[in-house]
């Protein structure tokens, strides 16, 4: 396994629409394992393939590991099939270092996808897991959390990002 480099804003790969995975081979399994290792090393609670430079529809997440045993999840070609309610909570993104801001999301989601064995998986999620699933699936569409903010807040954060970039 390997820790991969996390692509940061404004890398163009973060703005691409990721391609569907057509079949799960050894290379894809390796990518999923490397993504999990990269996520735990960051540390983060979710990661989408475009964040490591692979424009493919694969996400990994683990929302429970800080409280106990690691519970790694891999989802291939995930799709939100139902959503309910609204909830505002603070989010961060490994591709937007230093930015933490409230984001409005659906409170509950149902997500369908496939695991690494090619079996269909259906997940009912709420709370932090629902939030992370929506955040990761956004990455597959080339969408970042800043796109979900008010214009005024977007403007403020883009100024902050520009300044941070100039100082790198
Ligand atoms: O590590 C992460 N934490 C987080 C917190 C609240 C909502 C979403 C996230 S995902 C983020 C890692 C990341 O950037 N995934 O794409
Ligand atoms: Ni992110």
């Amino acid at each position: 396994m390997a820790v991969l480099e996390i692509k940061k804003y404004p890398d163009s790969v973060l703005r691409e629409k990721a391609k569907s995975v057509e079949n799960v081979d050894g290379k894809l399994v390796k990518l999923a394992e490397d993504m999990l290792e990269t996520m735990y090393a960051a540390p983060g609670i979710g990661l989408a393939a475009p964040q490591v430079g692979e424009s493919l529809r694969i996400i990994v997440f683990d929302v429970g590991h800080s409280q106990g045993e690691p519970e790694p999840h891999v989802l291939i070609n995930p799709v939100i099939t139902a959503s309910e309610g609204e909830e505002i909570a603070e989010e961060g993104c490994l591709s937007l270092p230093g930015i933490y801001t409230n984001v409005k999301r659906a409170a509950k989601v149902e997500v369908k996808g496939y695991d690494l064995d090619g079996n269909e998986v259906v997940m009912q999620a709420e709370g932090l897991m629902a939030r992370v699933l929506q955040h990761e699936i956004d990455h597959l569409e080339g969408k970042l959390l800043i796109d979900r903010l008010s214009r005024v807040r977007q403007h403020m954060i883009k100024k902050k990002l520009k300044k941070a970039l100039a100082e790198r």
Side-chain angles (χ1 to χ4, degrees):
M1 296 221 280
V3 174
L4 307 172
E5 184 203 339
I6 296 178
K7 305 290 180 184
K8 310 272 163 49
Y9 175 93
D11 196 309
S12 63
V13 71
L14 297 171
R15 291 313 197 173
E16 287 173 27
K17 183 174 159 70
K19 286 185 206 66
S20 291
V21 172
E22 302 295 345
N23 68 305
V24 178
D25 54 14
K27 226 175 111 189
L28 199 93
V29 173
K30 166 98 165 63
L31 173 62
E33 287 172 353
D34 288 349
M35 283 172 62
L36 280 166
E37 195 178 344
T38 305
M39 176 188 80
Y40 287 124
I45 57 175
L47 195 70
Q51 290 181 281
V52 294
E54 297 288 341
S55 195
L56 288 171
R57 303 188 84 82
I58 169 165
I59 67 173
V60 300
F61 60 98
D62 184 341
V63 293
H65 72 102
S66 51
Q67 292 103 279
E69 284 290 289
E71 212 182 287
H73 290 280
V74 177
L75 265 185
I76 295 163
N77 300 341
V79 178
I80 296 171
T81 44
S83 61
E84 203 183 299
E86 271 180 10
E87 210 160 82
I88 295 172
E90 188 168 80
E91 291 192 17
C93 180
L94 294 169
S95 297
L96 296 165
I99 304 294
Y100 299 93
T101 185
N102 279 338
V103 182
K104 193 202 285 182
R105 301 270 188 194
K108 296 184 182 180
V109 290
E110 179 186 83
V111 174
K112 289 188 183 169
Y114 294 87
D115 65 18
L116 287 175
D117 300 317
N119 300 310
E120 197 184 24
V121 184
V122 183
M123 290 188 170
Q124 311 284 346
E126 56 180 68
L128 187 58
M129 183 160 150
R131 182 163 295 275
V132 171
L133 282 166
Q134 291 170 82
H135 177 115
E136 303 315 336
I137 292 170
D138 268 359
H139 275 301
L140 305 184
E141 292 301 310
K143 214 168 162 100
L144 298 171
L145 65 86
I146 48 175
D147 305 334
R148 298 209 172 268
L149 307 177
S150 72
R151 290 180 70 98
V152 173
R153 188 102 184 103
Q154 257 184 55
H155 190 74
M156 268 175 54
I157 287 186
K158 280 181 183 159
K159 266 200 342 209
K160 188 173 168 180
L161 284 165
K162 217 170 172 178
K163 187 161 176 280
L165 277 172
E167 287 165 1
R168 261 208 245 168

